[in-house]
Amino acid sequence: MTVAPTAAPALAVRYHHGPPDALLDDRHVLAVIGFGANPPRSTDPRLLSVALEPLHRAPLEVWRVQGDVVHGRLGDLAFAHDDALLFAAMEVAEEARDIRGAADEAYSALRRRTTDLGFPHLLRVWNYLDDITIGEDDEERYRHFCVGRATGLGNDFSTATLPAATAIGRVHPVGRLQVYWLAARTPGLPLENPRQVSAYHYPRQYGPQPPSFARAMLPPGGMPLLISGTAAIRGHASLHADCVDAQLDETLANIEALAGVARVRGSRFPVSLGPGTTLKAYVRDEAELARVDAALAARLPDVPRIVLHARICRRELRLEIDGVHGVA
């Protein structure tokens, strides 16, 4: 199905404290994402629950677009779209397959269904899975996930069009791979970080299949920069394994470098992280959640944030941050 867009894509991501009912009555709301064991419930396919516990009662993450939103379900796929952007989500149970097979199935379906709905260009993907670093060397589950993801994307999927992405482990297993994504009718521009080796060029020591994602996505139209899961990695090496504060500093330096690359491409992006930025911090050690939250509040007092208890894709990494960056 192909439908010409009637307007340039536009997206605003904000955090909202309160119930989702009024949000879901808004015809411009593309998605509402809740966190924790007891998030709000609704049959509306735009309301998504992510099973990661926040430090405090987390706000809802709200995606708004300019056009009127149409939403529905196609089998196990929840979707919503306006004329320019598509939100979609699905889960794949691991009961009859391993994480590699689940990732292959999810990404094969993601490509096929996104194209069928008329939004063939992936911009941003989130992946949440159980036991992300369980297994030694190439038997680690994250490495199996990377192989399955690449297989599902297909041999014709170029690194020049990879989306921004996050892959995070749950603390409490649920037996499912959860994937949700943002796609568009027109392509964005993947960006890389000059401080880091592109993930898809990682050397063999990180597994048989390098991770298939871009460090950030510069979307089309009046949209914010979409920042992938970012950690204390310089080149391809993890840094400061014994210090969460130093890892936070390195992570923010990487995010600021991406913001700088985006600004070269488009003057709509502020020089510094500020009110137009929203961040999610994923923290491995429960005892360090409050420390990371306080450090972010001190470093970036104008930036809304959610701090979540999670597992990171490398055992030596204590935290990872993703988010969006644009005009307030």
Side-chain angles (χ1 to χ4, degrees), residues 99-172:
I99 187 59
R100 177 175 175 172
D104 183 356
E105 179 178 332
Y107 273 80
S108 296
L110 179 158
R111 286 201 70 187
R112 181 180 67 255
R113 290 171 166 183
T114 298
T115 300
D116 289 347
L117 286 166
F119 300 83
H121 301 287
L122 283 175
L123 300 179
R124 184 66 168 87
V125 186
W126 289 259
N127 308 272
Y128 296 106
L129 57 148
D130 296 345
D131 300 325
I132 192 167
T133 55
I134 296 298
E136 297 302 318
D137 300 320
D138 285 352
E139 294 306 309
E140 183 186 67
R141 280 172 55 83
Y142 178 61
R143 297 189 184 192
H144 279 275
F145 165 80
C146 288
V147 172
R149 171 170 57 181
T151 304
L153 285 171
N155 293 331
D156 60 337
F157 205 91
S158 168
T159 56
T161 58
L162 285 173
T166 295
I168 285 291
R170 303 184 191 93
V171 174
H172 305 293

Side-chain angles (χ1 to χ4, degrees), residues 33 82 120 200 279:
I33 302 166
D82 68 352
Y200 49 81
L279 298 177

Side-chain angles (χ1 to χ4, degrees), residues 21-159:
D21 306 45
L23 298 172
L24 296 172
D25 287 338
D26 185 340
R27 69 181 188 275
H28 299 299
V29 166
L30 187 68
V32 178
I33 302 166
F35 300 91
N38 297 295
R41 305 290 180 184
S42 172
T43 58
D44 192 306
R46 295 171 295 166
L47 182 61
L48 182 74
S49 299
V50 174
L52 295 177
E53 286 300 317
L55 172 61
H56 306 298
R57 183 185 176 105
L60 298 170
E61 182 177 319
V62 184
W63 301 4
R64 282 190 173 87
V65 292
Q66 287 186 341
D68 289 350
V69 171
V70 175
H71 55 83
R73 297 184 186 273
L74 293 172
D76 58 356
L77 180 78
F79 71 90
H81 65 81
D82 68 352
D83 287 338
L85 293 172
L86 168 75
F87 160 78
M90 65 180 297
E91 296 187 2
V92 178
E94 288 192 54
E95 295 172 354
R97 60 186 73 74
D98 59 13
I99 187 59
R100 177 175 175 172
D104 183 356
E105 179 178 332
Y107 273 80
S108 296
L110 179 158
R111 286 201 70 187
R112 181 180 67 255
R113 290 171 166 183
T114 298
T115 300
D116 289 347
L117 286 166
F119 300 83
H121 301 287
L122 283 175
L123 300 179
R124 184 66 168 87
V125 186
W126 289 259
N127 308 272
Y128 296 106
L129 57 148
D130 296 345
D131 300 325
I132 192 167
T133 55
I134 296 298
E136 297 302 318
D137 300 320
D138 285 352
E139 294 306 309
E140 183 186 67
R141 280 172 55 83
Y142 178 61
R143 297 189 184 192
H144 279 275
F145 165 80
C146 288
V147 172
R149 171 170 57 181
T151 304
L153 285 171
N155 293 331
D156 60 337
F157 205 91
S158 168
T159 56

Side-chain angles (χ1 to χ4, degrees), residues 259-296:
V261 172
R263 183 163 177 79
V264 170
R265 298 282 186 168
S267 60
R268 72 180 185 270
F269 297 105
V271 175
S272 302
L273 307 183
T277 309
T278 59
L279 298 177
K280 290 197 294 292
Y282 307 92
V283 181
R284 177 182 295 276
D285 188 340
E286 188 174 13
E288 293 180 338
L289 266 71
R291 186 184 187 97
V292 171
D293 184 59
L296 284 170

Side-chain angles (χ1 to χ4, degrees), residues 142 162 192 196-203 209-215:
Y142 178 61
L162 285 173
E192 293 301 315
Q196 296 179 310
V197 173
S198 298
Y200 49 81
H201 286 155
Y202 277 179
Q209 172 61 53
S212 303
F213 71 93
R215 297 293 184 186

Side-chain angles (χ1 to χ4, degrees), residues 231-233 238-239 247 284 312 314-319:
I233 295 171
S238 304
L239 302 180
Q247 284 204 352
R284 177 182 295 276
I312 318 302
R314 295 187 187 182
R315 299 174 196 182
E316 69 273 17
L317 291 175
R318 307 173 84 95
L319 79 155

